[in-house]
Structure formats: C-alpha cells, structure tokens
Amino acid sequence: MGGLARCRTLHEIAVTAIVLGEYSSKEGFEDLPRRYIEHHYVLNYSDALIYQRDAAKLGEEKFSDSEMAELKRLRDEVISKYGPEYATSYGWAAGIGGKKSPRFSDLEKIAGVSHLRTYYKLASHHIHSDAKDAILNVMRRGDKVGYLYGRTNIGLAEPAGMALGSVAQCFSTHVCALAPIDPRDLVAMKAVQELVTAGYKAFAAGDESVNAAEERYQAEQNRQAP
C-alpha cells in the first residue's frame, strides 16, 4: 500500500513532465516551463491564506500585513501576466488542449496516459481515508480476516509496474526534449524499456513465489488442524 502511494506521485510527475516536454516547443506555449515554475506564486498565496486563517488555533505567529501584501503582489503579478485562468490549481497548463481551467484528469488525456487512471485511482484509495480504502485494506489468511497495519511482502508487482512505467516515461520525455536526438539516446530509451519489462517480470515472479509459499503454509495448517 505504501508502494501504491509512491507510484501515485510518480504518475503525477510523469504526466507533468510529458505535458511540459510536448507543449513547450509548440507555438504559443514556448514559455510553458516558466509558467509552471512561476505558478508557485499562486500556490504560495493560497497556502498563506489558509495558514493565516488557522495560525492562532495552531499557536503559530501570523504573517505580517506586509508579508501577506507581498505574497499577494507576486500572485497578482503572474496572474496579470498569464491571464485569470492562471489562478486555478493547474493554471500553468491553461489553454492546452483547449482547456481554460484544466484538471489533472485533463492533463492525463493531453499526455496520452489517461488509460492509466484506473491504477491512479486505485493508488489514491490507499492514501485517502475513504470507505474503499477500508475495504481494500482487509487481509485474509485462511479463515482469518483482519486489517493490515504493518509491512508486507505481498502485492508489490502492481505498484512496481506503475512506478517503473512512470520513470520510463520521464526518461523518454527528457530524451525527446533534446534536439537533435542522438542515436545513442534512442538505444538508451530501448534499453530502459527492456529494463522496465524485466523489472516487472521479476516483481511478478516474486508475487507468485510469495503466494505459493502462502498456499503451502495454509495447506500445512489445515493438515495440522484437529
């Protein structure tokens, strides 16, 4: 479950990298990397407003009026520079794919990896306190049912495959952003894909081995049962 949380983050990084890599060379989006970096001014001010609201209850010192004014000035400056849609959560990508206020699911489609959203949603359930997480976390061993609270060596293949795929996407995006592409880079991309495939197969074999050991354990327990 911890692995699923990490590969969820890697998926988000890969989607962002693909969008930046693909569109920063397109007409009208040449400044996309700068838009992405400067979007932190929008997030800074948004976070500061929440902090300011709750500082007293947290026993923390509020930002001064001048500090808040400076944070707002920087935010307003970039919004004035890039347009009102820049104020949204993914405002740095506003306009791509015709989306004025894109959501992350829109960026997945733009990046061509929306088919991975099923896995992304699965990973999300394991890091949010929704009802499905409580169900997914139920572990069964023979006739015993309980919740998993500690580390486990089962179920590593799925998050490993997701993580390896995201790392490969980031690598390919970086290589393709270079101009001109060196033939050795193409060989490297192919090698990475081979490593991803081999890595996933190794994790899948590990899962099978663990499951087989569990079956043998359960069979032994049944034989010893009175």
Side-chain angles (χ1 to χ4, degrees):
M1 285 60 172
L4 283 169
R6 301 286 70 76
C7 69
R8 180 183 187 273
T9 302
L10 281 170
H11 174 70
E12 293 178 352
I13 293 172
V15 168
T16 300
I18 292 170
V19 173
L20 287 171
E22 182 175 343
Y23 278 85
S24 59
S25 60
K26 293 184 181 295
E27 185 178 354
F29 296 101
E30 295 88 350
D31 62 346
L32 190 60
R34 183 173 295 278
R35 290 192 205 183
Y36 175 74
I37 294 297
E38 292 187 346
H39 195 253
H40 80 274
Y41 292 121
V42 173
L43 302 179
N44 281 349
Y45 184 64
S46 177
D47 291 345
L49 288 175
I50 296 172
Y51 173 83
Q52 202 77 338
R53 181 195 68 193
D54 300 329
K57 290 183 179 180
L58 295 172
E60 300 289 347
E61 184 178 350
K62 286 186 174 184
F63 290 119
S64 66
D65 290 344
S66 61
E67 288 174 323
M68 289 299 295
E70 177 63 9
L71 289 171
K72 185 177 186 301
R73 184 191 68 78
L74 292 170
R75 170 192 178 272
D76 292 347
E77 188 175 278
V78 291
I79 291 176
S80 176
K81 183 179 179 180
Y82 298 119
E85 294 83 7
Y86 196 69
T88 60
S89 297
Y90 292 95
W92 60 269
I96 296 179
K99 296 289 183 179
K100 289 186 177 181
S101 301
R103 298 172 297 177
F104 182 70
S105 57
D106 295 319
L107 298 187
E108 287 179 311
K109 293 177 183 177
I110 292 168
V113 295
S114 58
H115 59 288
L116 299 176
R117 188 156 188 82
T118 293
Y119 297 121
Y120 179 72
K121 291 293 291 182
L122 171 64
S124 296
H125 286 305
H126 283 287
I127 65 171
H128 296 306
S129 58
D130 58 28
K132 191 165 183 178
D133 173 57
I135 300 301
L136 290 172
N137 199 39
V138 171
M139 307 298 293
R140 290 175 173 81
R141 192 171 197 186
D143 58 354
K144 297 179 180 179
V145 179
Y147 287 99
L148 178 66
Y149 293 103
R151 292 174 294 180
T152 178
N153 61 349
I154 64 172
L156 292 175
E158 198 162 58
M162 293 170 65
L164 289 168
S166 293
V167 171
Q169 288 166 350
C170 288
F171 178 78
S172 297
T173 298
H174 173 70
V175 170
C176 290
L178 303 175
I181 298 178
D182 191 298
R184 291 173 296 183
D185 294 331
L186 297 177
V187 174
M189 289 170 62
K190 179 62 177 177
V192 167
Q193 288 299 330
E194 292 294 328
L195 287 171
V196 167
T197 300
Y200 179 75
K201 287 181 178 179
F203 275 101
D207 263 5
E208 291 177 4
S209 178
V210 170
N211 291 335
E214 178 65 19
E215 289 178 4
R216 292 194 297 271
Y217 172 80
Q218 290 300 329
E220 181 64 25
Q221 292 296 107
N222 292 334
R223 284 194 295 271
Q224 295 179 5

